[in-house]
Amino acid sequence: MPFARNALALRLERLGEKHVDTARAQLAVAGLLEAFDKHAEAEPLRRAGVWTLQGKLFMQHPETATAWLRYGENLLTQDKIKEAVSALRSAEFSVRDSVGIAHPQYGRVLLFTGIAELRQGNVGGVATIERALPIIRAGLARTHIDRLHAEFSYGMLKLIMGDPATARTQFRVVGQAGLDRAAEWRDFGAAAQQEIRRFREVYAYQVRAAWQLAGQKP
């Protein structure tokens, strides 16, 4: 973090606030802050970075598309639903025009949009999420972290909707992929342990779904 902040400070001093490299440095710091769950602190950096990229690289550039998507995700994480919907709308246009609707990044836009719609009370969010899944599955390996996030979100949705059998299947898929990711490490050191911790909620929800299913009549 100190190195990233110093890099940002140098770019601000030498290149100014509206330079593309300054925006990239802002987004890099934002990503580190989010890794420590400091989403509110990262938000203004993401906002400044995405607007600079859009102004310098235009809306159709892949970097701009990614920046809008990550900004929308940041806002969604903070439950700033109205702002997230607006950012995700910009992300949809940018991703569609830069990489196309078959790209997994477009699927992630749909995923987050569906989640936002559901939080607004719009049941159409279910269909939006179900549109997202085939796109993400087609474009990402089963152990890719973005695909796992999508599979987990769908499992949570099914659990909330009273379908623990489907939820259990989803959590089993994600849980096994998490173990497979951890198995790629040569030893059970800090990196592998961190990988397991990232999936602790998956295993907890898998048990919960199995418990609910066991309590239902055949």
Side-chain angles (χ1 to χ4, degrees):
M1 181 66 78
F3 284 114
R5 288 192 183 278
N6 286 340
L8 173 56
L10 285 171
R11 284 165 174 77
L12 284 168
E13 178 184 348
R14 298 182 181 182
L15 303 175
E17 295 182 356
K18 300 302 181 181
H19 196 280
V20 169
D21 284 343
T22 301
R24 289 168 177 155
Q26 289 171 324
L27 297 177
V29 173
L32 288 172
L33 289 169
E34 289 165 348
F36 290 97
D37 293 325
K38 296 182 178 181
H39 293 86
E41 191 175 342
E43 180 188 340
L45 291 170
R46 288 214 170 276
R47 182 169 56 249
V50 72
W51 281 113
T52 297
L53 290 182
Q54 180 168 312
K56 299 295 184 179
L57 301 179
F58 305 107
M59 192 70 168
Q60 294 78 15
H61 195 281
E63 277 191 72
T64 306
T66 299
W68 274 117
L69 176 58
R70 295 295 304 277
Y71 182 41
E73 184 180 0
N74 175 288
L75 294 166
L76 192 60
T77 300
Q78 296 186 71
D79 286 325
K80 295 185 175 182
I81 307 303
K82 184 178 179 180
E83 296 93 330
V85 169
S86 178
L88 290 168
R89 189 176 297 117
S90 295
E92 181 175 0
F93 293 138
S94 188
V95 171
R96 182 193 64 199
D97 293 344
S98 62
V99 295
I101 61 174
H103 196 279
Q105 197 169 42
Y106 188 77
R108 282 178 58 75
V109 172
L110 292 179
L111 173 68
F112 292 131
T113 298
I115 293 172
E117 288 172 345
L118 287 174
R119 291 185 184 177
Q120 288 180 317
N122 180 0
V123 295
V126 175
T128 305
I129 292 173
E130 290 178 339
R131 282 176 56 206
L133 281 171
I135 301 172
I136 294 171
R137 287 168 176 165
L140 298 177
R142 68 179 188 86
T143 56
H144 193 286
I145 193 65
D146 290 342
R147 176 168 171 179
L148 294 182
H149 179 255
E151 300 285 8
F152 177 68
S153 298
Y154 188 58
M156 284 295 300
L157 175 63
K158 286 298 182 179
L159 188 62
I160 293 169
M161 293 175 65
D163 185 359
T166 302
R168 185 178 62 176
T169 299
Q170 288 296 116
F171 297 147
R172 185 183 294 118
V173 167
V174 177
Q176 185 58 54
L179 291 172
D180 291 344
R181 284 172 60 93
E184 295 175 0
W185 301 102
R186 295 187 177 182
D187 57 56
F188 196 64
Q193 292 177 42
Q194 182 181 18
E195 191 80 1
I196 291 295
R197 286 196 295 272
R198 294 178 71 176
F199 288 90
R200 64 185 183 275
E201 291 186 5
V202 176
Y203 304 131
Y205 282 115
Q206 184 174 348
V207 172
R208 177 180 171 185
W211 182 267
Q212 290 189 8
L213 186 63
Q216 292 185 354
K217 294 181 180 180

